[in-house]
Amino acid sequence: MSVISSPREKSLSTATDFMIGQNLWKKILIGMALGVLAGLALSPESMALLPAETAYNLGEWIRLPGVLFLGLIQMVIVPLVVCSIILGIAENGSVDNVRRLGLRIVPYFIMTTAIAITIGLFMVNIIKPGMAIDPEFARTVIAADSAENTTPARTFDDLTVPERIANMIPTNFAQASLERNMLQIVIAAILVGIALLTVTPKSGRPFRDLCISGQVLSMKIISWAMIIAPYAVFGLICSITIRIGFGALVSVGYYMLTVLAALVIMLGVYLLIVKFIAGQSLKSFIAGIREVQILAFSTSSSAAAMPFSIQAAEEKLNIKPEISRFVIPLGTTINMDGTALYQAVAAIFLCQVFGIELSFAAMLLLLMTTVGASIGTPATPGVGIVILATILVGIGVPVEGIALIIGVDRILDMCRTTINVTGDLTAASVMQRWGGVK
Ligand code: ASP
């Protein structure tokens, strides 16, 4: 089957061509580097070329393209995810395939997430970045932050486990999208997708066409957002650097390095999985997923990158549409290895800063909570740190500690999102071999 066969697929291709043709990734990396340099020059904590007040005001303006960029992405995420999941299931599957794949993919996702968290725990316990933080510095940042009250609010209610399970079904879809409860949204979309598979083509067609249009329009808006991506990245990074300054960057530098090193190891694990479990050539895998990784890196959103991941899986990795269109949307929502790894490192980092000793049992609890949390984390920018608050409460770490790491979260978010999408593409390659889809 030729992959680019419908207007929807053509529109996806045009959007990807735009990214490759414009060498967008180079521009984004340049934007990032210039952002740090400009931020250091303007930051009152570093070179202080301008008075503090003026620098902060200027920072707000420099950040504007970034805020607009993130706004555009967030605007289309719910329709994009819903339409893509419904189409993914309804267009290429059968109820039997969905069941067969689902039974294999969910344990696989849980296993890779546990591996990611273990790598994170291992690295943070070896490098001990929390020990490098001056307790005085930690106290000042946390005190300033509580005064400004910028600590992210908790998003999870204190529900019992049965209540949480019951809560997975959205009784009110409008409310689920209002609250951006991605797990509820995905479950609703999967159910509608399966329902579409079972009704007659005549009754299903109008709704399917509506989803096709919803997906194409959302993609168009994302491709517009990508035009300003390099400026957005410049603005976001520059304004962060203006605010936190060089001293703070260095203080949390060890923590950032720990997260980055652990993410790189996870990338290595994926490559091993691709080579030895999926039996694919590493060279073509890496070449095939490069553009999607850049998109994930620049948008910090696996949901925004999802349709491109599906396209790359089918066109570049030759994965069957029945697999890619089911595994990738599901993985985007429930398989967040980069996020889980980051949350584990951040939690232990804060334990080290606050001098909290975690027993082995507490680490195990952390592992389980993080697997659960990464399933519920929406695939949108910056939410990993909000969910982290829940994990911290679970293991008794003061949530205010987030103030220490929130400054550098944007950069880490870009990197963990890249790993999240790589994990989904790896999963699709594995299922191509082991998914049992005829
Ligand atoms: N931005 C991440 C994603 O979309 C989620 C997170 O860790 O904040 O995959």
Side-chain angles (χ1 to χ4, degrees):
M1 163 194 156
S2 149
V3 183
I4 305 178
S5 49
S6 67
R8 174 161 59 104
E9 278 139 2
K10 278 195 196 102
S11 129
L12 286 179
S13 280
T14 324
T16 322
D17 289 348
F18 165 76
M19 295 193 303
I20 309 166
Q22 305 277 316
N23 263 335
L24 197 61
W25 64 277
K26 282 190 195 146
K27 292 184 189 161
I28 286 169
L29 290 184
I30 295 173
M32 202 171 157
L34 290 180
V36 174
L37 292 179
L40 287 179
L42 294 174
S43 172
E45 320 288 333
S46 307
M47 291 167 65
L49 291 184
L50 293 176
E53 184 77 2
T54 323
Y56 291 136
N57 287 340
L58 188 63
E60 284 295 296
W61 282 101
I62 296 178
R63 198 167 158 254
L64 189 59
V67 178
L68 295 177
F69 172 75
L70 292 177
L72 283 176
I73 303 271
Q74 309 255 31
M75 184 178 102
V76 295
I77 273 181
V78 172
L80 179 63
V81 168
V82 169
C83 297
S84 306
I85 292 180
I86 293 177
L87 291 172
I89 295 178
E91 276 191 346
N92 283 283
S94 65
V95 178
D96 220 29
N97 270 346
V98 170
R99 182 160 19 91
R100 207 175 304 131
L101 265 180
L103 286 177
R104 291 170 203 215
I105 197 66
V106 173
Y108 170 90
F109 282 157
I110 294 178
M111 202 189 67
T112 51
T113 308
I115 294 176
I117 298 170
T118 313
I119 293 175
L121 289 177
F122 178 76
M123 292 302 281
V124 72
N125 280 306
I126 297 263
I127 302 182
K128 297 201 188 329
M131 302 297 173
I133 297 276
D134 173 8
E136 192 47 43
F137 168 73
R139 257 193 299 277
T140 353
V141 176
I142 290 164
D145 193 72
S146 341
E148 285 171 23
N149 203 13
T150 52
T151 309
R154 290 189 55 196
T155 52
F156 276 3
D157 302 324
D158 286 322
L159 299 178
T160 61
V161 174
E163 279 170 339
R164 281 193 185 191
I165 295 173
N167 200 40
M168 282 166 38
I169 307 279
T171 43
N172 181 342
F173 188 79
Q175 192 176 356
S177 32
L178 193 70
E179 291 171 353
R180 285 180 184 261
N181 185 330
M182 289 313 245
L183 193 59
Q184 285 191 347
I185 293 174
V186 167
I187 287 177
I190 290 178
L191 292 177
V192 173
I194 296 176
L196 262 186
L197 275 179
T198 55
V199 298
T200 58
K202 189 166 175 281
S203 32
R205 170 133 316 121
F207 188 72
R208 189 180 290 199
D209 288 346
L210 179 70
C211 291
I212 292 180
S213 234
Q215 196 193 38
V216 171
L217 296 180
S218 309
M219 293 304 308
K220 193 80 215 165
I221 292 175
I222 289 190
S223 72
W224 288 341
M226 291 314 290
I227 299 173
I228 56 166
Y231 310 98
V233 171
F234 169 81
L236 292 169
I237 302 285
C238 178
S239 72
I240 289 168
T241 319
I242 293 180
R243 258 184 292 127
I244 69 171
F246 190 62
L249 261 188
V250 173
S251 292
V252 287
Y254 269 117
Y255 155 73
M256 289 174 72
L257 278 182
T258 312
V259 176
L260 294 179
L263 289 175
V264 169
I265 297 179
M266 192 61 209
L267 189 62
V269 171
Y270 289 144
L271 295 183
L272 290 177
I273 295 179
V274 167
K275 175 124 188 84
F276 295 108
I277 303 186
Q280 273 208 5
S281 132
L282 284 189
K283 216 166 143 217
S284 60
F285 181 79
I286 295 171
I289 66 170
R290 206 188 61 186
E291 275 85 37
V292 186
Q293 286 184 318
I294 297 297
L295 185 73
F297 182 79
S298 42
T299 57
S300 296
S301 169
S302 356
M306 179 176 74
F308 296 101
S309 299
I310 297 177
Q311 191 201 10
E314 292 170 13
E315 285 181 19
K316 311 259 175 70
L317 309 179
N318 296 322
I319 289 171
K320 290 189 196 124
E322 305 77 315
I323 294 180
S324 62
R325 293 176 190 199
F326 178 70
V327 169
I328 291 177
L330 191 64
T332 300
T333 333
I334 69 168
N335 180 46
M336 296 213 180
D337 300 343
T339 300
L341 178 155
Y342 144 84
Q343 286 167 335
V345 173
I348 301 293
F349 166 75
L350 293 176
C351 285
Q352 292 168 353
V353 171
F354 291 112
I356 299 170
E357 283 281 334
L358 281 193
S359 61
F360 184 69
M363 290 251 188
L364 221 57
L365 178 74
L366 174 71
L367 192 139
M368 282 170 357
T369 339
T370 315
V371 171
S374 75
I375 292 176
T377 303
T380 54
V383 287
I385 195 164
V386 179
I387 306 292
L388 175 67
T390 327
I391 298 174
L392 294 182
V393 174
I395 55 167
V397 175
V399 177
E400 291 73 26
I402 284 186
L404 269 181
I405 53 174
I406 203 161
V408 291
D409 194 59
R410 161 75 30 209
I411 302 171
L412 296 181
D413 193 6
M414 295 164 91
C415 301
R416 64 185 187 245
T417 307
T418 310
I419 292 297
N420 288 344
V421 299
T422 309
D424 298 334
L425 284 158
T426 306
S429 302
V430 171
M431 288 302 131
Q432 167 89 343
R433 188 161 184 194
W434 300 110
V437 171
K438 307 276 173 333

